[in-house]
Amino acid sequence: MKLIEVKNCYKVYNNGVTAVADLNVIIDKGEFVFVIGASGSGKSTFIKMLYREEKPSNGKVFVGGVNVAKLRNSKVFKLRRKIGIVFQDFKLLPKLTVYENVAFALEAIGLHTKDIRPKVIKALENVGLKDKMRSFPNQLSGGEQQRVCIARAIVNEPKLLICDEPTGNLDPDISKEIVGILDKINKELGTTIIMATHDRDIVNKMKKRVLLLENGVLAGDDKKGSYIVHESN
Amino acid sequence: MKAIRILIRGIRDAFKSVVRNFSLSTAAITCSSITLILVAVAMIISYNVKNITQDLEKELTIVAYIKNSGTNENINTLKASLDAMENVENYKFKSKEEWKLEMKTYSDTFSTALEYLETNPLLDSFTITVKDVTSLKETTEEIRKFEFVSSADYGEGIAENLVTAFDVIEKVTLVLVLALVLVTAFLIGNTIKLTIFSRKSEIEIMRLVGSSNISIRLPFLFEGLFLGILGSIVPILVTIYGYVLLYDHFNGYLFTQILRMTEPFNFILYVSMLLLIIGAVIGMVGSYHAVRKYLKI
Ligand SMILES: Nc1ncnc2c1ncn2[C@@H]1O[C@H](COP(=O)(O)OP(=O)(O)OP(=O)(O)O)[C@@H](O)[C@H]1O
Ligand SMILES: [Mg+2]
């Protein structure tokens, strides 16, 4: 069952830069996919088109059967509710506790307070941070902060979890831990995961599907890919 | 249910934000208070002026006398012309016989004096009220043009000048108030703009997790509404206490017996309601503008 289908997709920014060119990709439900490529190769652009932060200049991008290229601005929020998103910079609210930060995602979409609590607890359990739920972000390590972000991204049980260099700011051991959590979410909850990364060790170790972008063009798509192979050219 | 939660959340966030940005909110509230006080003063003045003018206008009539030589045709001609004149509200014709009868009732001396005369020395007359007092003069002159009209006059002087003066006052205050309303809406908009900037990361996350546009925007719209409403509290109190004090102080008359003030109740309640509404609208307009401009969704 395919969750994502990108067809003949182009993205040309206003300044004339072609960030993505003639991209064709199908991603099935439950897959774990790495997106790799040099800096400026279009990884973030590809990801942004999936959650309709950017509109393709041309082509189709189906997410859950909906062509998000055609989605009106006023309807984007419906798409976002089905997608969890994690970034390199954590985007946590410093004045809210861990619990409140995760609950924020549910409050923001109008859930009832009594429905929020069990979901937040469950999400925090999934990332192993239940005992830190009263801490504030500045009392946490980088890895812990990123786990809070993951909890916030999965708290509404999305079908798709998109991560743009989630380990970019973390040291190797912590990075492995984060990817381990993502892998667990992928296996236990069946969430489809797309992760853009520069981290060779992780890609090589995980043996997942790897999409390689070069100057906006899909230069490789390996079922059990590794980073080194593509880096050599 | 969900709509209500979004609404409550919007109100709560707006309230928090007003408190959190205390100094900014205070500036916006003060500005809208000042504006609304002026609006109140303008409303009170113009409403009173309108009443006084109406009172005065009732007094302002043209009285035209027909020459003794005037015929019935002449009278009919004048009636027809008065009917045709745009500014004429209505008129009353009183023949010299009617005058005579009326005179007789005034005093016995008159009555006997009139009996001795062979011809009636009185004149037929028209009492004319006009629609627009400011062109009273023109209308009078038009009536004077008929050669069978002996005279046509109105109570020239203070009354007319007052009416014109009031007219000018009203226009000046209107312009002033409009300018202030714009400034206030701008200031409230600016406050909202700064709140939007200060909550940038919160808005970003809301967008990422799929808040609907309305629930992202609502707190800011409410914030503008609150600022406007809070700004109307002092003006409302000033209006209620101020006007009642003023009315009592002058015993309901301004300087002379002709200038009767409008009675405080329900007048000030009506003004207060309007102030509240104007405050709310100014706040909404200001914040709506800021949200449209700075909260891109
Ligand atoms: N908003 C934008 N406006 C104009 N050009 C942009 C914009 N965003 C990205 N680009 C350009 O598009 C190209 C692809 O950028 P993108 O951010 O997708 O690369 P990336 O693979 O994510 O890089 P990195 O690994 O450094 O994050 C780059 O040349 C970049 O300069
Ligand atoms: Mg990037």
Side-chain angles (χ1 to χ4, degrees), chain A residues 121-169:
Chain A
I121 304 280
K122 203 174 129 211
L124 286 172
E125 273 169 357
N126 274 322
V127 299
L129 266 185
K130 197 183 155 210
D131 52 334
K132 294 256 165 124
M133 69 183 192
R134 286 193 188 81
S135 306
F136 286 91
N138 64 0
Q139 298 167 327
L140 302 179
S141 72
E144 286 168 333
Q145 288 185 48
Q146 191 59 297
R147 274 147 68 186
V148 179
C149 294
I150 294 171
R152 183 178 64 193
I154 61 167
V155 72
N156 198 28
E157 293 154 27
K159 297 260 182 303
L160 175 63
L161 180 59
I162 298 176
C163 312
D164 194 351
E165 300 190 36
T167 60
N169 278 341

Side-chain angles (χ1 to χ4, degrees), chain A residues 51 53 73-74 77 80-81 83 85 87 91-93 104-105 107-112 152, chain B residues 1-2 5-6 9 12 20 201-213 215 297:
Chain A
Y51 64 92
E53 183 66 17
N73 276 355
S74 57
F77 75 94
R80 300 278 172 89
R81 287 180 186 190
I83 303 176
I85 309 163
F87 295 96
K91 298 188 201 291
L92 292 172
L93 296 170
F104 185 86
E107 277 172 30
I109 60 173
L111 244 70
H112 202 291
R152 183 178 64 193
Chain B
M1 260 325 277
K2 197 158 170 182
R5 273 201 301 280
I6 288 174
R9 196 180 142 88
R12 190 195 66 193
R20 209 180 298 154
S201 42
E202 218 168 306
I203 294 169
E204 189 193 355
I205 294 165
M206 287 178 88
R207 291 181 53 217
L208 282 175
V209 299
S211 280
S212 60
N213 297 344
S215 61
I297 295 205

Side-chain angles (χ1 to χ4, degrees), chain B residues 76-290:
Chain B
N76 286 335
T77 317
L78 188 54
K79 277 185 180 168
S81 330
L82 289 176
D83 283 334
M85 275 185 219
E86 243 176 63
N87 196 26
V88 171
E89 172 84 23
N90 59 43
Y91 58 85
K92 224 160 69 198
F93 174 73
K94 210 180 233 179
S95 69
K96 44 191 165 189
E97 275 70 36
E98 284 174 285
W99 273 116
K100 195 171 161 181
L101 283 175
E102 199 180 313
M103 290 290 218
K104 278 182 179 172
T105 62
Y106 285 167
S107 79
D108 285 343
T109 336
F110 258 140
S111 162
T112 29
L114 286 169
E115 287 302 319
Y116 276 100
L117 293 170
E118 273 173 31
T119 56
N120 187 344
L122 301 168
L123 297 174
D124 293 331
S125 74
F126 280 87
T127 309
I128 301 142
T129 47
V130 294
K131 285 176 191 150
D132 177 14
V133 195
T134 50
S135 36
L136 195 61
K137 201 169 163 193
E138 287 77 10
T139 312
T140 312
E141 269 159 14
E142 228 174 305
I143 296 167
R144 277 183 191 148
K145 279 192 199 128
F146 295 96
E147 35 96 21
F148 54 81
V149 170
S150 135
S151 70
D153 292 294
Y154 58 94
E156 280 154 287
I158 329 169
E160 196 197 15
N161 290 342
L162 266 178
V163 172
T164 347
F166 285 159
D167 223 36
V168 174
I169 294 174
E170 205 175 350
K171 278 182 186 134
V172 170
T173 39
L174 191 71
V175 171
L176 197 74
V177 162
L178 277 180
L180 275 164
V181 163
L182 282 179
V183 170
T184 310
F186 177 79
L187 204 81
I188 289 180
N190 205 46
T191 311
I192 305 303
K193 174 180 125 183
L194 291 171
T195 339
I196 290 173
F197 286 163
S198 76
R199 292 179 56 189
K200 236 186 161 132
S201 42
E202 218 168 306
I203 294 169
E204 189 193 355
I205 294 165
M206 287 178 88
R207 291 181 53 217
L208 282 175
V209 299
S211 280
S212 60
N213 297 344
I214 181 78
S215 61
I216 294 179
R217 287 178 159 171
L218 215 54
F220 299 102
L221 295 178
F222 272 123
E223 189 176 343
L225 184 71
F226 283 174
L227 291 176
I229 289 176
L230 288 174
S232 72
I233 291 176
V234 171
I236 286 174
L237 294 179
V238 168
T239 306
I240 293 176
Y241 287 103
Y243 193 73
V244 169
L245 281 180
L246 204 72
Y247 190 86
D248 286 350
H249 184 261
F250 287 117
N251 281 320
Y253 291 98
L254 278 180
F255 316 118
T256 83
Q257 292 289 94
I258 334 171
L259 305 181
R260 195 167 48 81
M261 288 173 75
T262 309
E263 289 199 9
F265 292 95
N266 306 303
F267 173 55
I268 47 172
L269 297 182
Y270 166 76
V271 172
S272 304
M273 274 303 290
L274 272 177
L275 288 179
L276 189 75
I277 292 168
I278 294 173
V281 169
I282 294 177
M284 284 291 266
V285 168
S287 56
Y288 182 75
H289 183 76

Side-chain angles (χ1 to χ4, degrees), chain A residues 76-105:
Chain A
V76 169
F77 75 94
K78 291 190 174 165
L79 171 73
R80 300 278 172 89
R81 287 180 186 190
K82 295 184 200 131
I83 303 176
I85 309 163
V86 176
F87 295 96
Q88 180 171 0
D89 57 327
F90 312 124
K91 298 188 201 291
L92 292 172
L93 296 170
K95 284 182 186 157
L96 302 187
T97 62
V98 166
Y99 177 88
E100 288 164 343
N101 263 290
V102 178
F104 185 86

Side-chain angles (χ1 to χ4, degrees), chain A:
Chain A
M1 266 266 274
K2 61 189 172 197
L3 180 65
I4 292 168
E5 181 170 15
V6 180
K7 267 187 179 168
N8 308 109
C9 178
Y10 288 80
K11 176 67 194 182
V12 183
Y13 283 110
N14 285 338
N15 59 3
V17 174
T18 304
V20 166
D22 197 21
L23 189 65
N24 289 284
V25 176
I26 291 177
I27 294 172
D28 285 335
K29 278 200 179 119
E31 275 195 86
F32 191 127
V33 182
F34 286 114
V35 181
I36 61 168
S39 185
S41 58
K43 302 183 295 293
S44 295
T45 304
F46 164 58
I47 278 177
K48 281 178 183 167
M49 287 191 291
L50 295 178
Y51 64 92
R52 237 310 295 274
E53 183 66 17
E54 295 289 351
K55 253 184 173 163
S57 315
N58 223 321
K60 292 171 180 162
V61 176
F62 291 97
V63 177
V66 179
N67 184 3
V68 300
K70 287 258 159 58
L71 199 63
R72 277 196 278 132
N73 276 355
S74 57
K75 295 273 186 288
V76 169
F77 75 94
K78 291 190 174 165
L79 171 73
R80 300 278 172 89
R81 287 180 186 190
K82 295 184 200 131
I83 303 176
I85 309 163
V86 176
F87 295 96
Q88 180 171 0
D89 57 327
F90 312 124
K91 298 188 201 291
L92 292 172
L93 296 170
K95 284 182 186 157
L96 302 187
T97 62
V98 166
Y99 177 88
E100 288 164 343
N101 263 290
V102 178
F104 185 86
L106 295 178
E107 277 172 30
I109 60 173
L111 244 70
H112 202 291
T113 319
K114 73 169 169 22
D115 301 331
I116 290 177
R117 195 168 174 85
K119 283 182 183 242
V120 173
I121 304 280
K122 203 174 129 211
L124 286 172
E125 273 169 357
N126 274 322
V127 299
L129 266 185
K130 197 183 155 210
D131 52 334
K132 294 256 165 124
M133 69 183 192
R134 286 193 188 81
S135 306
F136 286 91
N138 64 0
Q139 298 167 327
L140 302 179
S141 72
E144 286 168 333
Q145 288 185 48
Q146 191 59 297
R147 274 147 68 186
V148 179
C149 294
I150 294 171
R152 183 178 64 193
I154 61 167
V155 72
N156 198 28
E157 293 154 27
K159 297 260 182 303
L160 175 63
L161 180 59
I162 298 176
C163 312
D164 194 351
E165 300 190 36
T167 60
N169 278 341
L170 306 172
D171 62 49
D173 287 344
I174 305 293
S175 297
K176 287 202 185 74
E177 193 185 300
I178 293 292
V179 175
I181 289 170
L182 293 177
D183 194 33
K184 192 186 94 181
I185 289 167
N186 173 247
K187 285 192 176 117
E188 289 178 7
L189 306 178
T191 312
T192 309
I193 294 183
I194 299 175
M195 172 172 160
T197 185
H198 282 291
D199 195 318
R200 303 168 189 209
D201 293 346
I202 285 174
V203 175
N204 290 335
K205 189 171 154 271
M206 296 292 291
K207 301 271 181 288
K208 301 284 185 188
R209 183 178 173 192
V210 176
L211 300 176
L212 170 68
L213 288 175
E214 267 172 17
N215 296 321
V217 177
L218 188 65
D221 182 351
D222 285 343
K223 274 287 168 218
K224 277 198 165 37
S226 60
Y227 205 103
I228 304 296
V229 176
H230 308 289
E231 198 67 5
S232 60
N233 51 29

